[in-house]
Amino acid sequence: MTDALHEADAVETSPDLSLWQERLRASRVEIPGTTNTRDLGGLPMAGGGIVRPGAVLRGEALAHPGPSVRRVAEWSDAAIESYRALGLRTVIDLRAAEEAALAPSAWAEPTGARLVAVPIDEGGEGDATDYMRRLRAGELRSFGPAELADYYVRTVRARAPRFGRALRVLAEPGATPVLIHCAAGKDRTGMLVALLLEALGVDRDATVADYSMTSIFRPNRVEAYADVLASAGVDASAVSALFDSPAETMRLMLEGVDADYGSVRAFLRREAGVGDDIVERLRAALVTPVAG
């Protein structure tokens, strides 16, 4: 699952996005019915070491079949051994309470993992988000990577205590292996994972590239909303960034937090209640040295 990533990225880092993306293809966890489930293991620290393989996974929502299950991964009895093989002990669901109630997360069921709800209302892609309301009303006619980055910066600031709570859950003894998900595994999951990787000291190019992989594993997501956009008279190409994960967006988000607070670590201390003691616990649980 992560051996190829581990071997390639433990040696050196590269600012070239395409090289990173090629390496990160090995991070995808092959589970029938899912497209965006992947292992953060092998991502390199700027100062040495890597994220421990199998410790933290990110993905999309997984829910049992039903009338409310739309545009999320659908549970399959045939895949139960694949779910179980993850060995999850904790699942963090970042969806708003209304989203989770309509399609409850099923990720924790095969292993009896602890399911922790950390509701963040500000989803990007998704039927119930404010952005979709504005698209349907024809109020939003263009949306690019910079606008998405601005939305992310505003969200991490507004929801800093909740992102902090999720990071503290990750730091608890026995929390791993953990899977983090929202609806698509893109926006809210992308923000939390980026904050986590920055806290751990992961090379920023790797963090940015990891975020961008959603567009590779779930390409052309705007097409799933073609009917909504067409009925509102909105050009899909003008708002596609809302449904993608442009690398530029994550780099701008992290640079924006740096500009406001000096660093992401400073932001976490000041706004999210994640002090150096929590960061050290995260590093102890999630970082492993690389021999040689």
Side-chain angles (χ1 to χ4, degrees), residues 64-275:
H64 286 285
S68 299
V69 177
R70 187 167 181 247
R71 302 189 179 111
V72 301
E74 188 172 298
W75 172 281
S76 170
D77 289 339
I80 192 166
E81 289 305 320
S82 296
Y83 307 145
R84 189 173 291 134
L86 300 177
L88 299 177
R89 300 187 69 177
T90 308
V91 173
I92 298 176
D93 186 349
L94 299 173
R95 294 175 299 165
E98 295 81 1
E99 293 175 86
L102 287 172
S105 177
W107 277 116
E109 294 178 20
T111 57
R114 175 190 178 198
L115 177 61
V116 180
V118 184
I120 295 173
D121 293 345
E122 292 87 348
E125 177 186 336
D127 297 332
T129 68
D130 183 59
Y131 282 116
M132 289 307 300
R133 180 194 63 75
R134 292 172 62 195
L135 284 170
R136 286 190 175 94
E139 300 170 3
L140 184 65
R141 310 200 71 82
S142 66
F143 195 89
E147 285 83 4
L148 187 59
D150 179 66
Y151 155 64
Y152 283 1
V153 172
R154 287 185 283 108
T155 298
V156 297
R157 293 190 66 163
R159 300 297 181 180
R162 294 193 181 180
F163 284 114
R165 181 187 172 220
L167 292 174
R168 289 192 295 275
V169 168
L170 282 162
E172 292 175 0
T176 61
V178 59
L179 184 141
I180 301 164
H181 77 85
C182 50
K186 179 177 84 77
D187 297 312
R188 291 163 287 190
T189 297
M191 286 182 261
L192 175 58
V193 166
L195 294 176
L196 169 64
L197 296 180
E198 285 280 313
L200 294 177
V202 167
D203 180 280
R204 182 163 288 187
D205 288 330
T207 298
V208 169
D210 170 72
Y211 167 78
S212 76
M213 295 305 291
T214 292
S215 288
I216 292 176
F217 294 138
R218 301 175 80 250
N220 305 315
R221 287 297 298 167
V222 70
E223 294 177 3
Y225 297 86
D227 55 339
V228 174
L229 300 174
S231 64
V234 175
D235 179 1
S237 65
V239 296
S240 62
L242 181 60
F243 305 91
D244 288 334
S245 55
E248 177 188 354
T249 290
M250 183 51 65
R251 193 173 295 281
L252 287 172
M253 185 201 96
L254 294 172
E255 290 174 352
V257 175
D258 287 343
D260 289 342
Y261 294 91
S263 69
V264 174
R265 287 280 296 274
F267 162 77
L268 292 173
R269 283 194 298 269
R270 177 173 160 185
E271 303 291 350
V274 176

